[in-house]
Amino acid sequence: MNLLIDEWIPVRQLSGGGAEKITLQELLCGEKRWEICLPRDDMELAALQLLICITQVMITPETPEILKHRIAKHLDSKDFEAAIRPFENWFRLDHSEYPFMQVKGVSASKITPMDKLMAGLTGATSCCFVNEPNLADKLCAGCTSIALFNQATCTPGFGGGFKEPLRGGTPITTLVQGKHLRQTIWLNVLNNSEIIKFMPWHHSSNRQLPTWMEPLQPGIIPAQKIGLARGLFWQPAHVELLPPVEADSFCTCCGNHTSRVYTGFKTAKFSSYSVQDTWPHPHSPQTTELKKDSSIESKFISFNLTAPAWTQLTRFVVQLLPQVKKEGYEPAAVVVQSKKLYGQQAHKLHLLVGGYVRKKASIVNRRHEIFTLNHGWDRHTKAITDIVALGIAYKAAITGALYFFCKPPKDKKNKNNNLKGLGEKIGLPKVAEIQFYRRSEPTIENTLACIDFVNPEPELTKMRGELKHIAEMLFDESVHPYRNDPELLRTLATARKVLRKHLRNIEPQQDKGGDNGTTETS
């Protein structure tokens, strides 16, 4: 199966209809509007990334003008056929010498079932994914290719002894979403001038072969020696699929009819190499830190176990240079490019955010969200920072008051004034934090989508009112079971005063010229 010419892309038309499979040429050269159709959001995101990476490697636009033409109009079939010619052997899943994202001749004592190739499908934590039973029993070539790519680039890998992907175990992916699949792909393909900015060594490395055609060698590999194609399709493990089984069947993942299914693979550890420094993957935001020796250390951003994606939105879209003892951040290169592509004629930004959450070596959750940022987001990033800071401040207000209720500070001078606390074992602040995030998310998302970035105060005022109401309601709900406890009455009254004080501190300081008064809290 060749990803460049065969039908493998699981889609359905935006205008309606059932699921089907199309070729890359139909997608890029046709006028029909499609969306990816798979039963899991992470597999849909992986399929989108795979399509973006293939298109990026094969058909890199030279200039922003050419890229804008590609976004607006479908590709000519002759141009497509010419573009794939140099890569005809790169993307064959069953190639006799260079199978896609695999290594021939893997020596393994046992066969691994296909469910190990799909992140979070097996193990004690799989219940949180709400998976269909037998989802990976018999995979078609298309779903197998998507799972291979996702395992190698977006997940913690196969466990102890295996190297993690080039971006680390659970990187956050941020992409720009268009009106339909073809447009989304081109919105996330970098033009040549943009590649040079984030990869100055591009010209000297753009002829490198992917890891399945030129295997990784033991030793230290400088990130500055890794080319674009090699980095986008980096495979850190030795994996080899078993030959497909002939069967008149249906794929247990996408549900489409297939005549050949994959049921297992072999894998082996390969850890005798290390990558020096951070390779600047164009689909993920990074944090940056300026060291005392003036060097900059970068790492890719991951999801927090409980905090939603909006708490890190500033890192996704705002560029901040690092300072000593203060973190900087760098949005994904595709988001940076989108700021420049259309200038003041740009429409709203629809930001697609996805990734996994892990606890130690286990994946415990997956995230897949879309944020809409109103027109002007690229020129008024302070308002975005203020929205995020406000949300975090109101969260800190409710949790701070409940921490006081559970463990009030001691009065060392007069022990008779000491208040009795509820105790920390009940975990009241943590429960309230989770509930605040859940209830406040629609408010945050609506503010981002509707705010007038030139005059943000009216929408910020509305947002403050809604978040304040949520905080007060959560406090009352949290302390309700204890309101008649005589030993806790004084503590409850004082904790309520603490909440009101925190909420007043978040309000705009009128005596300072009407500034919005937002302060970022940790």
Side-chain angles (χ1 to χ4, degrees):
M1 197 277 292
N2 192 328
L3 295 174
L4 302 184
I5 60 175
D6 292 326
E7 294 179 343
W8 69 273
I9 306 169
V11 294
R12 63 181 166 211
Q13 290 192 53
L14 285 175
S15 57
E20 56 184 297
K21 287 193 175 183
I22 61 172
T23 65
L24 186 60
Q25 184 169 358
E26 286 180 88
L27 174 59
L28 296 182
C29 303
E31 295 187 5
K32 291 182 179 178
R33 298 188 169 195
W34 306 95
E35 64 179 350
I36 293 174
C37 179
L38 283 168
R40 279 179 38 157
D41 48 21
D42 60 329
M43 286 287 284
E44 289 188 335
L45 182 59
L48 175 59
Q49 280 188 269
L50 176 54
L51 289 166
I52 292 167
C53 291
I54 292 174
T55 307
Q56 177 75 77
V57 169
M58 288 198 318
I59 322 172
T60 300
E62 281 297 317
T63 64
E65 289 70 28
I66 294 175
L67 176 57
K68 284 193 281 188
H69 179 74
R70 297 276 186 254
I71 294 168
K73 195 175 187 306
H74 59 82
L75 188 67
D76 185 85
S77 293
K78 291 182 179 178
D79 292 337
F80 176 85
E81 290 165 3
I84 70 172
R85 210 165 288 134
F87 304 95
E88 57 185 358
N89 289 322
W90 277 38
F91 300 102
R92 287 191 57 177
L93 189 64
D94 52 359
H95 194 282
S96 58
E97 294 182 69
Y98 314 115
F100 174 66
M101 299 209 80
Q102 301 166 66
V103 174
K104 291 292 289 184
V106 171
S107 178
S109 59
K110 62 178 181 178
I111 303 302
T112 307
M114 295 300 287
D115 54 17
K116 294 291 186 183
L117 205 58
M118 295 183 72
L121 198 59
T122 60
T125 59
S126 63
C127 59
C128 68
F129 291 104
V130 195
N131 293 298
E132 293 290 332
N134 308 316
L135 189 64
D137 275 7
K138 296 181 291 184
L139 297 183
C140 65
C143 289
T144 299
S145 301
I146 296 166
L148 262 175
F149 175 80
N150 189 51
Q151 179 70 30
T153 58
C154 302
T155 73
F158 293 108
F162 284 90
K163 284 286 187 179
E164 291 192 336
L166 208 52
R167 290 181 283 177
T170 49
I172 293 177
T173 296
T174 56
L175 301 172
V176 181
Q177 180 162 293
K179 295 178 181 178
H180 50 85
L181 180 55
R182 174 172 53 80
Q183 190 179 82
T184 298
I185 290 170
W186 285 113
L187 281 168
N188 294 284
V189 169
L190 298 177
N191 72 82
N192 207 48
S193 58
E194 203 65 41
I195 296 173
I196 299 299
K197 292 176 184 175
F198 92 101
M199 272 185 62
W201 59 90
H202 176 57
H203 285 316
S204 62
S205 62
N206 65 349
R207 295 184 181 275
Q208 285 182 2
L209 296 173
T211 57
W212 60 93
M213 300 184 77
E214 188 177 295
L216 295 172
Q217 299 299 317
I220 298 174
I221 305 171
Q224 295 78 12
K225 297 290 185 180
I226 300 174
L228 183 62
R230 195 165 173 84
L232 289 176
F233 291 100
W234 190 266
Q235 172 57 279
H238 284 182
V239 177
E240 183 179 14
L241 294 168
L242 295 183
V245 178
E246 300 290 336
D248 184 12
S249 184
F250 291 89
C251 175
T252 53
C253 182
C254 68
N256 287 291
H257 182 268
T258 180
S259 59
R260 307 169 79 195
V261 295
Y262 288 86
T263 59
F265 62 97
K266 295 183 289 184
T267 186
K269 298 176 183 179
F270 178 68
S271 57
S272 56
Y273 76 92
S274 61
V275 177
Q276 188 178 56
D277 299 325
T278 302
W279 191 76
H281 198 290
H283 302 160
S284 289
Q286 301 179 58
T287 57
T288 54
E289 183 180 351
L290 184 65
K291 298 294 186 180
K292 290 183 179 179
D293 61 359
S294 297
S295 64
I296 295 179
E297 182 179 81
S298 302
K299 65 178 181 178
F300 291 103
I301 299 170
S302 297
F303 283 119
N304 182 280
L305 195 59
T306 56
W310 66 257
T311 60
Q312 301 199 69
L313 185 63
T314 303
R315 296 171 168 182
F316 300 162
V317 297
V318 178
Q319 190 170 23
L320 180 67
L321 295 176
Q323 301 174 14
V324 177
K325 295 184 179 180
K326 188 173 182 180
E327 174 190 87
Y329 22 88
E330 180 75 24
V334 293
V335 176
V336 173
Q337 176 181 255
S338 72
K339 289 184 179 183
K340 310 171 186 175
L341 210 52
Y342 295 99
Q344 294 192 9
Q345 281 69 49
H347 298 292
K348 292 182 177 183
L349 173 70
H350 300 284
L351 187 68
L352 180 60
V353 180
Y356 298 101
V357 183
R358 73 170 174 178
K359 189 175 183 181
K360 296 183 180 179
S362 298
I363 294 176
V364 296
N365 205 343
R366 66 178 190 251
R367 305 269 180 85
H368 188 273
E369 302 176 47
I370 297 176
F371 292 97
T372 298
L373 276 68
N374 206 0
H375 174 72
W377 69 273
D378 54 325
R379 301 184 305 279
H380 302 278
T381 54
K382 182 183 180 300
I384 297 174
T385 303
D386 288 346
I387 291 170
V388 174
L390 267 176
I392 294 173
Y394 278 100
K395 184 271 298 182
I398 175 65
T399 55
L402 290 175
Y403 272 120
F404 183 97
F405 181 62
C406 293
K407 190 178 179 180
K410 301 295 183 182
D411 187 343
K412 295 181 179 179
K413 293 183 179 179
N414 187 353
K415 293 183 179 181
N416 292 326
N417 286 337
N418 283 334
L419 299 172
K420 180 184 177 181
L422 178 65
E424 296 178 274
K425 290 184 178 180
I426 296 177
L428 219 56
K430 196 64 181 177
V431 174
E433 178 182 353
I434 294 170
Q435 288 298 314
F436 177 84
Y437 283 142
R438 184 180 65 81
R439 297 186 193 183
S440 65
E441 201 157 19
T443 298
I444 302 291
E445 292 176 355
N446 189 60
T447 302
L448 290 166
C450 299
I451 192 169
D452 180 356
F453 283 106
V454 177
N455 180 28
E457 193 52 42
E459 201 67 36
L460 289 177
T461 300
K462 179 183 175 184
M463 175 182 162
R464 286 190 196 98
E466 292 179 7
L467 295 184
K468 180 181 179 181
H469 179 65
I470 292 171
E472 290 173 337
M473 280 186 62
L474 273 175
F475 182 86
D476 288 339
E477 291 173 13
S478 300
V479 302
H480 180 78
Y482 315 102
R483 73 183 194 277
N484 293 324
D485 188 328
E487 293 185 316
L488 293 174
L489 284 178
R490 272 206 313 141
T491 310
L492 176 56
T494 310
R496 193 181 297 278
K497 290 180 181 179
V498 170
L499 174 65
R500 290 170 179 165
K501 179 182 177 183
H502 287 331
L503 294 177
R504 281 197 304 271
N505 290 340
I506 302 172
E507 294 298 313
Q509 302 298 309
Q510 299 298 330
D511 59 337
K512 293 184 179 181
D515 187 23
N516 61 24
T518 57
T519 52
E520 203 164 346
T521 59
S522 58

